[in-house]
């Protein structure tokens, strides 16, 4: 599970960074921005379900949420809505104190965004009517704030309750599989989740992977690129044939 977590989170972070840059350009990059946005949404869904099924700890999800709030572009607001819709209730159950802090951060960021929008709308409309706007719409911000407040007050929406019911059914099935696996491992526990943070994943190539035995070191001494570097033609997924050939050589 560690390789999948690292791959999905690292690729998600790169897609978000690329989408934030494309969002500030003109309409010529609109199609590419939409493709990057969809890619980031799909990767975020993978991370959300890894959390829902107990593969990763809520610390990673809260780190991603704080990153979304810090940037707070239209792409980040959409990402926040995905997280709230697919694992909001589980986040509230695992760490309600952190959720309260997130609510305060969202309120403050939303207020600043609306104030900035009011002050810049009149000036940019007159000076550059075709100037692109990367800030999220005020209606989406209000909807997102209402959603997270309802989550804090434990008022789940109907669609969220239906999704949570399906997730719990699958978690029960996975729980039985974990119980059977623990019996075959001579009593070893197999139900613990991976307590990795966003910074741990982003610094994996320079500081190593403490969650993998023997994969932690002082630094990237050889300066090798990541296994899934964007420059690789095959996407750079771990365990590729090229990696096997290099190891054999």
């Amino acid at each position: 599970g560690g390789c999948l977590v690292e791959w999905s989170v690292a690729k998600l972070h790169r897609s978000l960074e690329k989408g934030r840059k494309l969002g500030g350009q003109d309409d010529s990059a609109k199609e590419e921005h939409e493709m990057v946005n969809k890619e980031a949404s799909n990767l975020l869904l993978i991370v959300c379900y890894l959390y829902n099924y107990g593969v990763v700890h809520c610390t990673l999800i809260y780190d991603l949420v704080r990153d979304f709030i810090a940037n707070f572009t239209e792409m980040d607001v959409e990402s926040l809505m995905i997280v709230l819709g697919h694992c909001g209730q589980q986040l509230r159950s695992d760490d309600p104190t952190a959720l309260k802090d997130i609510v305060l951060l969202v309120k403050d960021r939303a207020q600043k965004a609306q104030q900035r929008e009011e002050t810049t709308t009149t000036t940019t409309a007159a000076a550059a009517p075709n100037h692109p706007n990367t800030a999220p719409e005020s209606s989406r911000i209000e909807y997102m704030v209402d959603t997270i407040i309802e989550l804090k007050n434990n008022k789940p929406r109907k669609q969220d309750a239906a999704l949570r019911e399906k997730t719990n059914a699958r978690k029960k099935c996975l729980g039985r599989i974990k119980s059977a696996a623990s019996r075959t491992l001579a009593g070893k526990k197999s139900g613990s989740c991976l307590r990795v943070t966003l910074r741990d994943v982003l610094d994996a190539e320079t500081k190593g992977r403490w969650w993998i035995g023997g994969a932690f070191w002082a630094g990237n001494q050889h300066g090798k690129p990541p296994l899934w570097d964007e420059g690789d033609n095959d996407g750079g997924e771990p365990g590729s044939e090229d990696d096997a050939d290099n190891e054999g050589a």
Side-chain angles (χ1 to χ4, degrees), residues 5 21 25-26 30 54 114 119 170 178 203:
V5 171
K21 294 178 181 178
Q25 298 180 10
D26 52 14
K30 185 177 181 180
Q114 291 177 347
T119 56
R170 295 188 180 100
K178 288 182 178 180
D203 292 343

Side-chain angles (χ1 to χ4, degrees), residues 14-143:
R14 288 198 297 269
S15 296
L16 289 170
E17 291 293 328
K18 185 177 180 180
R20 290 160 185 164
K21 294 178 181 178
L22 291 174
Q25 298 180 10
D26 52 14
D27 295 337
S28 61
K30 185 177 181 180
E31 183 177 354
E32 184 179 2
H33 180 261
E34 291 179 354
M35 292 180 61
V36 174
N37 193 7
K38 291 179 181 179
E39 181 185 36
S41 298
N42 291 331
L43 290 168
L44 182 57
L45 283 174
I46 294 176
V47 178
C48 288
Y49 281 111
L50 287 173
Y51 166 64
N52 284 337
Y53 296 144
V55 179
V56 295
H57 193 256
C58 64
T59 304
L60 176 61
I61 306 299
Y62 275 123
D63 286 346
L64 289 171
V65 170
R66 292 185 182 94
D67 182 65
F68 300 152
I69 297 174
N71 292 277
F72 213 71
T73 62
E74 183 177 355
M75 192 175 184
D76 293 296
V77 172
E78 184 175 348
S79 300
L80 278 170
M81 294 302 302
I82 292 175
V83 172
L84 294 175
H86 286 82
C87 53
Q89 287 293 326
Q90 188 65 37
L91 287 172
R92 184 183 185 278
S93 176
D94 289 344
D95 196 346
T97 303
L99 181 61
K100 292 180 181 179
D101 297 336
I102 293 299
V103 172
L104 295 177
L105 290 174
V106 168
K107 286 183 177 180
D108 181 67
R109 202 71 172 88
Q111 184 178 4
K112 291 180 179 179
Q114 291 177 347
Q115 291 176 354
R116 184 171 62 252
E117 182 182 5
E118 292 175 356
T119 56
T120 57
T121 298
T122 55
T123 56
T124 55
N130 296 325
H131 188 273
N133 185 15
T134 61
E137 299 177 358
S138 58
S139 59
R140 299 191 67 178
I141 294 177
E142 292 176 1
Y143 180 79

Side-chain angles (χ1 to χ4, degrees), residues 167-235:
T167 302
N168 289 336
R170 295 188 180 100
K171 286 178 68 175
K172 290 180 180 179
C173 180
L174 290 175
R176 291 192 293 268
I177 295 175
K178 288 182 178 180
S179 298
S182 63
R183 290 193 296 268
T184 60
L185 293 174
K188 294 182 180 180
K189 294 183 179 180
S190 61
S192 58
C193 59
L194 185 62
R195 288 178 170 265
V196 64
T197 64
L198 178 60
R199 181 49 52 190
D200 289 336
V201 175
L202 298 181
D203 292 343
E205 294 298 329
T206 57
K207 296 183 179 180
R209 301 162 178 84
W210 60 262
W211 57 92
I212 300 178
F216 182 79
W217 62 85
N220 189 353
Q221 300 172 355
H222 302 288
K224 293 183 178 180
L227 293 177
W228 39 81
D229 195 352
E230 288 182 334
D232 295 341
N233 295 327
D234 58 352

